[in-house]
Amino acid sequence: MSTILRTLRNLRKIGIKEYAHQMQYMGDTKAGTYIATDKAGNKYYENLEQELPLRTRWVDYKQKEYDPGQIEPGWHAWMSYLVDKPPSEDPVLKTGQRSWEIPDHRPNLTASRAAFKTYSTVKPKVHAWLPEAKPR
C-alpha cells in the first residue's frame, strides 16, 4: 500500500483511467518509464527515482486472469534484479528461441482439473479394513 501523497502524485502523472486500471489489477499506483512489451503482450515498466528499493520494476499483464508463469525467462531475470538490462537491450538474453525451448506458453495447471495425477498399475499390498458386526 502506498501513502496518500505518493498516490496523489501518481494519479496526477498517469491519469484517472490508468489509475483505475492499476488499482483494479495491481492494488497500488505506480508511475514509471515504459521499457518494452514481450511476446505475450505484457508491458514492463521501471521507476528508479521515486519507488521503494526492490519495487522499481513491475509488469502490467495483458490478460486479466494472469499467472506469473506467463513472464518469459529473460524478463523474469530482469524483474528479479538478476540482470541490469532488460532482454530487449541485453545481447545475451536477445538470442531468441532456442531449439530445446517450448514454442508456446503452457499455463500452470496445479490445483485445476487438468493437473497431473499419479496412478499405480500395481495391486495394492494393504487393504482397508471393513468392520463387520455379527448379528445378535
Side-chain angles (χ1 to χ4, degrees), residues 53-69:
L54 298 178
R55 290 186 62 194
T56 59
R57 298 174 181 170
W58 66 95
V59 61
D60 184 14
Y61 294 97
K62 181 179 180 183
Q63 297 179 357
K64 305 303 181 222
E65 295 292 326
Y66 61 87
D67 174 21

Side-chain angles (χ1 to χ4, degrees), residues 42-106:
N42 301 326
K43 298 176 185 176
Y44 296 89
Y45 297 91
E46 184 174 35
N47 183 353
L48 297 174
E49 291 87 29
Q50 298 172 345
E51 290 293 329
L52 297 171
L54 298 178
R55 290 186 62 194
T56 59
R57 298 174 181 170
W58 66 95
V59 61
D60 184 14
Y61 294 97
K62 181 179 180 183
Q63 297 179 357
K64 305 303 181 222
E65 295 292 326
Y66 61 87
D67 174 21
Q70 295 171 346
I71 297 179
E72 296 173 10
W75 284 107
H76 181 267
W78 181 75
M79 291 283 296
S80 301
Y81 301 93
L82 297 175
V83 293
D84 292 330
K85 295 180 184 176
S88 57
E89 298 173 7
D90 193 355
V92 174
L93 297 174
K94 210 179 209 182
T95 57
Q97 188 163 343
R98 295 166 181 91
S99 60
W100 48 267
E101 288 181 339
I102 299 171
D104 295 326
H105 169 71
R106 289 190 200 166

